[in-house]
């Protein structure tokens, strides 16, 4: 059974790029007689505005999509904490008290997930009274589980290269899990078989593949779709003037027609799919 999901973070309203992502995931499931899930990823600290979730549901209904909603991430914190404790006890995580500014001041290499952590707290005991994140000791993890492969329905079989991203954060200072840990655990708990999302998250998948191996989770397939970009080639964002789906809905636009147009890759106002 094909199970896909749309997993928006309620940090801001949904726009056309999200609509495209939801339609792609919905149709991949429905065409295969499978299930399409909605999961609200609402653990992004103060950026999370859970009240937006209701607008997201209205947006999906307006597009004519049918979904099953699974529990929001904020209801699953105990699961994340248990998995993090297990990884910590097995020696795969270490405490890190470095601030973003400290890391930047070390002139780190920039990888797919941003600044690659130079491992400072791995070799010096972190001060116990400072707030700490938990980082994955990637070299140690890979020594035990690697090399790993994963399969993208569009791009084919990939060799995971998570060292490229370095010792990523697994438990944030301000949140009981990072996106990587929460999404990986949830996709397994929700029985997702085809993780459908934008290409901007392609480079996160090797990290998720390592977590699956460490935590003995089932390995899904992935479908990373191309992103929508505006006339200047930039990712859509409300701050660059892309109207939100709620704006379009409230202006009386026909959502069913919009979903049909997205399926046909007919995009309004100079918007197109980014070239691969
Ligand atoms: N919550 C993420 C976002 O809104 C998507 C995560 C995913 O699809 O894995 O960007």
């Amino acid at each position: 059974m094909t199970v896909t999901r749309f997993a928006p973070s309620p940090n801001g309203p949904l726009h056309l790029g999200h609509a495209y992502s939801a339609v792609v995931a919905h149709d991949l499931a429905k065409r295969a007689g499978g299930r399409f899930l909605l999961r609200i990823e609402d653990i992004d600290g103060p950026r999370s505005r859970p009240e937006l979730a209701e607008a997201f549901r209205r947006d999906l209904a307006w597009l004519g999509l049918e979904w099953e909603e699974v529990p929001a991430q904020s209801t699953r914190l105990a699961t994340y904490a248990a998995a993090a404790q297990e990884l910590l006890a097995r020696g795969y995580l270490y405490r890190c008290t470095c601030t973003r500014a400290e890391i930047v001041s070390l002139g780190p290499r920039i990888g797919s997930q941003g600044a690659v952590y130079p491992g400072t707290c791995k070799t010096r005991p972190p001060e116990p009274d400072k707030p700490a994140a938990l980082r994955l000791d990637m070299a140690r993890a890979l020594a035990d589980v690697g090399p790993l492969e994963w399969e993208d329905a569009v791009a084919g079989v990939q060799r995971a290269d998570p060292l490229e991203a370095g010792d990523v954060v697994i438990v944030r200072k301000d949140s009981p899990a990072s996106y990587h840990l929460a999404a990986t655990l949830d996709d397994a708990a929700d029985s997702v078989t085809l993780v459908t999302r934008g290409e901007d998250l392609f480079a996160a998948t090797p990290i998720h593949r390592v977590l699956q191996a460490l935590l003995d989770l089932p390995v899904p397939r992935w479908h990373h779709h191309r992103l929508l970009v505006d006339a200047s080639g930039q990712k859509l964002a409300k701050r660059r003037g892309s109207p939100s789906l709620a704006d379009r809905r409230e202006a009386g636009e026909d959502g069913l027609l919009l979903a049909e147009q997205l399926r046909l890759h007919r995009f309004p106002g100079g918007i197109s799919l980014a070239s691969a």
Side-chain angles (χ1 to χ4, degrees):
M1 152 96 70
T2 301
V3 182
T4 67
R5 80 325 187 255
F6 176 57
S9 302
N11 299 342
L14 302 184
H15 55 62
L16 216 57
H18 296 106
Y20 179 69
S21 199
V23 166
V24 169
H26 171 272
D27 290 4
L28 283 168
K30 297 293 164 171
R31 255 187 261 130
R35 298 165 62 210
F36 169 60
L37 311 180
L38 169 66
R39 182 173 71 230
I40 304 294
E41 301 210 323
D42 57 350
I43 55 163
D44 200 4
R47 292 176 63 214
S48 240
R49 292 156 53 199
E51 71 280 4
L52 284 175
E54 194 42 44
F56 290 4
R57 294 180 196 108
R58 281 202 288 274
D59 292 340
L60 296 189
W62 174 70
L63 291 165
L65 307 185
E66 285 169 13
W67 70 92
E68 286 168 57
E69 186 161 351
V70 293
Q73 291 192 326
S74 55
T75 67
R76 308 191 195 202
L77 304 185
T79 313
Y80 308 148
Q85 270 314 312
E86 180 193 330
L87 291 175
L88 185 64
R90 289 166 58 200
Y92 291 116
L93 305 185
Y94 62 90
R95 294 180 74 249
C96 171
T97 54
C98 292
T99 63
R100 217 175 279 262
E102 277 163 358
I103 297 170
V104 169
S105 74
L106 297 168
R109 172 169 75 79
I110 303 300
S112 62
Q113 310 297 301
V116 174
Y117 184 62
T120 320
C121 285
K122 201 163 132 179
T123 47
R124 83 163 180 208
E127 293 141 84
D129 47 341
K130 277 197 180 169
L134 293 177
R135 288 185 179 274
L136 182 60
D137 184 339
M138 193 62 91
R140 162 113 214 264
L142 284 179
D144 288 355
V145 303
L148 297 167
E149 288 187 340
W150 57 278
E151 190 186 346
D152 186 273
V154 183
V157 175
Q158 307 289 312
R159 174 60 59 94
D161 180 17
L163 267 185
E164 186 278 331
D167 291 355
V168 292
V169 170
I170 295 298
V171 175
R172 286 165 42 165
K173 284 179 188 168
D174 63 348
S175 165
S178 67
Y179 156 66
H180 300 303
L181 180 65
T184 303
L185 288 169
D186 292 349
D187 284 334
D190 297 338
S191 306
V192 172
T193 62
L194 184 62
V195 175
T196 303
R197 59 186 173 207
E199 259 178 9
D200 51 341
L201 289 166
F202 198 89
T205 302
I207 300 163
H208 302 179
R209 187 66 194 82
V210 172
L211 290 172
Q212 285 156 357
L214 290 175
L215 293 166
D216 203 16
L217 300 173
V219 181
R221 292 170 76 230
W222 283 263
H223 178 115
H224 292 92
H225 60 75
R226 284 155 68 193
L227 297 180
L228 294 193
V229 290
D230 64 19
S232 61
Q234 303 246 51
K235 247 176 86 171
L236 302 188
K238 186 148 173 85
R239 65 177 184 282
R240 277 195 294 273
S242 304
S244 68
L245 298 185
D247 292 342
R248 291 174 176 274
R249 188 158 46 75
E250 280 153 23
E253 191 174 329
D254 182 339
L256 296 182
L257 187 62
L258 177 64
E260 278 313 309
Q261 299 289 322
L262 294 173
R263 289 184 174 102
L264 296 169
H265 292 180
R266 290 201 193 118
F267 306 110
I271 291 170
S272 62
L273 280 172
S275 44

